[in-house]
Amino acid sequence: MVAETHVVPSSLVLPVFVREGLEEPRAISSMPGVVQHSRDSLKAAVTEAAELGLGGVMLFGIPEHKDATGSGAIDPGGVLNLAITDVVAEVGDQLTVMSDLCLDEFTDHGHCGVLTPDGRVDNDRTLEIYAEMARAQAHAGVDMVGPSGMMDGQVRVVREALDAAAHADVSILAYSAKYASAFYGPFREAVDSSLQGDRRTYQQDPANAVEGVREVLLDIEQGADIVMVKPALAYLDVIRRVRDAVDVPVAAYNISGEYAMVEAAAANGWIDREAAILETLTSIRRAGADVILTYWASEAARLLRA
Ligand code: PBG
């Protein structure tokens, strides 16, 4: 009767991976229960997500061939763009279809942008590719793009590209306060990442919360419709600060490492898995997240229904 916080299926977004050339879904060993989908198994997963009443799905594509500029990302026949069209046809009238707008799944060096000759991430040349990627995803039919590369100015460039291409109705979920985190580890397996080194020149320092809020405010000024804090669990204080500072919806990404820790402990019989899942999601909501991206989205919706 007096609960202050509720987790509801419509506040959950399921991230899904689709890999080019797969006939059958392939397990991701560091994320038990999560798979790289084939085109067919992806359709089944999003149909289930819609039936469960989830708020949305976030699509990640893994191309067969990666290259220095991530060219698969802007190819209209690329894995992610085809998946968007598939998913929109399947469930586009039932939930929000979102797509990751970043190059790291597509580059052979694994960085979120293209590199200068001396191996640094080239912010402004990357922005030009993000604009093209936004147009390709919008053309494929996406509802909402999720720029996640933490390049400076990315939200403005994506907004302008969408508007200029007559896609003013495509909205932006901005990965605004995205920290350079060790907890992304399992995601690297999920997208077959070849990353050497780290992303500390473009993602945020885990020591800084004020800076996280500043990044969020910049993104809102540039046209973000929803702002996100990522990861979630080690950054609940940042979620709260952001929720108190802005008047747009706030999302949080309950990331791969957070998922893997609970799954590993539960597999060892060290914690009660279902209780831990619901407590995790409740805590992220209590911190102030309106929307949660979580690999448990469909399962949590089933648990809530039961
Ligand atoms: C970048 C991206 C990452 C994740 C989502 N988008 C990886 C990174 O920034 O290193 C991580 C998600 C997770 O760990 O669950 N395209």
Side-chain angles (χ1 to χ4, degrees):
M1 186 182 75
V2 294
E4 297 170 19
T5 305
H6 297 277
V7 179
V8 290
S10 60
S11 65
L12 303 177
V13 172
L14 178 69
V16 283
F17 303 103
V18 55
R19 192 179 201 282
E20 192 168 29
L22 279 190
E23 299 286 332
E24 295 291 328
R26 181 189 289 181
I28 301 165
S29 63
S30 54
M31 300 176 72
V34 179
V35 300
Q36 294 179 335
H37 282 289
S38 65
R39 263 177 102 167
D40 284 341
S41 73
L42 174 67
K43 287 183 199 170
V46 299
T47 299
E48 184 195 42
E51 282 165 7
L52 288 164
L54 300 190
V57 290
M58 171 63 81
L59 309 180
F60 292 91
I62 304 129
E64 215 150 5
H65 302 289
K66 305 190 182 213
D67 60 27
T69 59
S71 59
I74 57 173
D75 177 355
V79 58
L80 180 54
N81 296 321
L82 293 179
I84 290 168
T85 305
D86 281 352
V87 171
V88 168
E90 205 74 16
V91 293
D93 54 348
Q94 296 170 67
L95 45 66
T96 305
V97 179
M98 313 176 191
S99 51
D100 188 51
L101 202 166
C102 188
L103 287 177
D104 67 313
E105 294 93 1
F106 295 92
T107 53
D108 53 12
H109 45 74
H111 274 294
C112 294
V114 291
L115 305 180
T116 59
D118 62 350
R120 300 161 67 90
V121 172
D122 188 334
N123 190 93
D124 291 4
R125 217 155 58 80
T126 299
L127 292 182
E128 293 168 23
I129 301 176
Y130 283 0
E132 218 172 315
M133 200 174 171
R135 284 190 290 270
Q137 295 185 351
H139 188 72
V142 82
D143 296 317
M144 184 177 284
V145 293
S148 68
M150 289 300 280
M151 296 300 126
D152 290 337
Q154 64 183 11
V155 173
R156 173 170 293 123
V157 163
V158 166
R159 184 70 271 156
E160 287 175 358
L162 291 169
D163 290 352
H167 289 297
D169 52 352
V170 172
S171 48
I172 300 177
L173 165 65
Y175 286 59
S176 303
K178 180 173 179 181
Y179 288 86
S181 173
F183 294 99
Y184 300 142
F187 181 89
R188 304 277 154 81
E189 184 197 346
V191 300
D192 296 348
S193 174
S194 34
L195 181 70
Q196 305 280 330
D198 58 58
R199 306 198 198 288
R200 287 186 296 166
T201 64
Y202 44 106
Q203 298 182 345
Q204 299 301 295
D205 181 344
N208 291 359
V210 171
E211 188 181 30
V213 175
R214 187 163 81 237
E215 289 281 346
V216 164
L217 296 176
L218 283 169
D219 279 1
I220 293 174
E221 202 179 290
Q222 293 176 28
D225 297 286
I226 302 180
V227 291
M228 186 149 74
V229 175
K230 176 184 177 184
L233 288 184
Y235 300 86
L236 294 175
D237 60 320
V238 180
I239 297 172
R240 169 48 55 196
R241 284 188 196 224
V242 168
R243 180 60 288 166
D244 290 345
V246 306
D247 58 4
V248 298
V250 174
Y253 200 141
N254 175 212
I255 61 160
S256 58
E258 300 168 3
Y259 176 90
M261 287 193 295
V262 170
E263 292 293 338
N268 278 293
W270 295 338
I271 55 171
D272 176 340
R273 181 173 174 282
E274 292 181 356
I277 291 171
L278 292 178
E279 184 178 336
T280 296
L281 298 176
T282 301
S283 301
I284 297 169
R285 289 275 283 175
R286 191 198 61 237
D290 303 290
V291 176
I292 305 175
L293 279 72
T294 175
Y295 302 100
W296 289 306
S298 293
E299 180 169 7
R302 274 194 298 271
L303 293 174
L304 292 166
R305 189 180 278 182

